[in-house]
Amino acid sequence: MENDNLSKSSESTIQDNDTLSPDVWVKDGKSYSMKPEIRERLMEIGDDFYNFLKVEVKLYNITLTGSLSNFNYSKFSDFDLHLIVDYNEIDANHELVEDFFNMKKTIWNQRHDITIKDFEVEVYAQNNDEPHHSTGVYSVMEDKWEVIPEKENITVDKAEILKKSKSWAKQIDNVEKVFIKRKYDKVIKLVDKLKEKLKKFRSAGLEGGGEYAIENLIFKVLRRSGYIERLNDMKEDSYDEKMTMSEDKKK
């Protein structure tokens, strides 16, 4: 069943549509503009998330990126909404700022389950000088394209993507075997190590080949098939089990 999920996720990840999503965009000749009702709702969500952050910084832009601003969207796509701010206005320690924003994003997602046209909405606070490798970026705030997507003839090795996805999935399965043995300290270390490897793996692909790089497509397959979520859950569950003191654990 898990291999079936990988195969289905692999097929859905490698999309090459003839148009942008008709649920989001209106085509006028060769150009696309965002549907007014979609833009209005995304602005409302972006403003609400900005207020939820409770930080005294300027909001420079709200942008949409990812597959819904490109030709490779699928039913698994989401609205990848980015709030552009300057981390330096908060603190010079950008890692600390990023951790804070990720925490706020997690709390936001726990409280809300928002969809537009059956696509989930993912909100993220992005540093204004953070490099971005998307070939389609739309300013929701200014209602114009910053990076216009272009239809490309994408050629990818589907067999290789599935093969390498299975290899990464096997590593996650192995962590789960350690979790079943209740070796929670080891699970936490293994998860951290594997997530760091995945981060570097994906970043190298994005820097070298953009969003269609095989490394990025493999990461998407793992995410859409639930493996990334399993990895995160195992770390959280391991911590909870490690810290829980039941009656039979009392000294």
Side-chain angles (χ1 to χ4, degrees), residues 61-76:
N61 207 345
I62 299 176
T63 63
L64 178 71
T65 187
S67 57
L68 276 182
S69 62
N70 219 312
F71 292 92
N72 60 329
Y73 66 91
S74 74
K75 64 179 182 179
F76 295 101

Side-chain angles (χ1 to χ4, degrees), residues 70 72 132-135 152 154-156 201-217:
N70 219 312
N72 60 329
H132 207 286
H133 306 282
S134 178
T135 55
E152 302 179 51
I154 306 300
T155 302
V156 295
F201 177 75
R202 187 189 190 194
S203 296
L206 286 170
E207 290 174 9
E211 60 185 311
Y212 289 107
I214 189 172
E215 294 88 350
N216 186 47
L217 295 176

Side-chain angles (χ1 to χ4, degrees), residues 13-183:
T13 296
I14 307 165
Q15 295 282 342
D16 185 21
N17 303 293
D18 292 327
T19 67
L20 299 185
S21 171
D23 288 321
V24 183
W25 306 99
V26 176
K27 189 174 184 181
D28 182 13
K30 293 184 178 181
S31 63
Y32 289 86
S33 59
M34 184 175 285
K35 289 185 174 182
E37 65 272 21
I38 300 293
R39 176 176 177 266
E40 181 179 352
R41 184 53 49 86
L42 290 176
M43 280 298 301
E44 290 177 358
I45 295 169
D47 286 340
D48 288 343
F49 183 68
Y50 173 73
N51 292 328
F52 174 74
L53 293 175
K54 297 187 185 306
V55 289
E56 297 295 328
V57 294
K58 179 180 178 180
L59 179 59
Y60 288 89
N61 207 345
I62 299 176
T63 63
L64 178 71
T65 187
S67 57
L68 276 182
S69 62
N70 219 312
F71 292 92
N72 60 329
Y73 66 91
S74 74
K75 64 179 182 179
F76 295 101
S77 296
D78 53 39
F79 283 95
D80 195 357
L81 201 62
H82 287 213
L83 275 65
I84 311 301
V85 297
D86 185 352
Y87 282 15
N88 289 320
E89 294 180 11
I90 302 175
D91 196 277
N93 186 337
H94 288 190
E95 184 176 353
L96 179 66
V97 178
E98 184 175 13
D99 286 344
F100 168 76
F101 281 143
N102 284 335
M103 177 194 68
K104 296 290 282 190
K105 175 185 175 181
T106 299
I107 296 172
W108 172 272
N109 288 334
Q110 288 174 346
R111 293 181 180 179
H112 304 286
D113 182 17
I114 304 170
T115 61
I116 299 176
K117 300 291 185 177
D118 290 330
F119 297 114
E120 293 184 4
V121 180
E122 289 288 332
V123 190
Y124 172 71
Q126 175 186 326
N127 194 7
N128 59 1
D129 66 355
E130 179 181 322
H132 207 286
H133 306 282
S134 178
T135 55
V137 180
Y138 192 84
S139 172
V140 182
M141 179 181 286
E142 299 179 6
D143 198 16
K144 68 178 184 180
W145 288 102
E146 293 196 344
V147 180
I148 300 174
E150 295 183 5
K151 184 76 170 70
E152 302 179 51
N153 293 321
I154 306 300
T155 302
V156 295
D157 190 337
K158 295 184 178 181
E160 185 68 10
I161 290 173
L162 182 56
K163 176 183 175 182
K164 290 188 176 181
S165 296
K166 288 180 178 179
S167 177
W168 281 100
K170 182 65 175 176
Q171 295 182 64
I172 297 172
D173 288 339
N174 288 338
V175 175
E176 191 163 45
K177 291 178 182 178
V178 180
F179 177 80
I180 291 172
K181 294 179 181 178
R182 300 184 180 182
K183 297 181 179 180

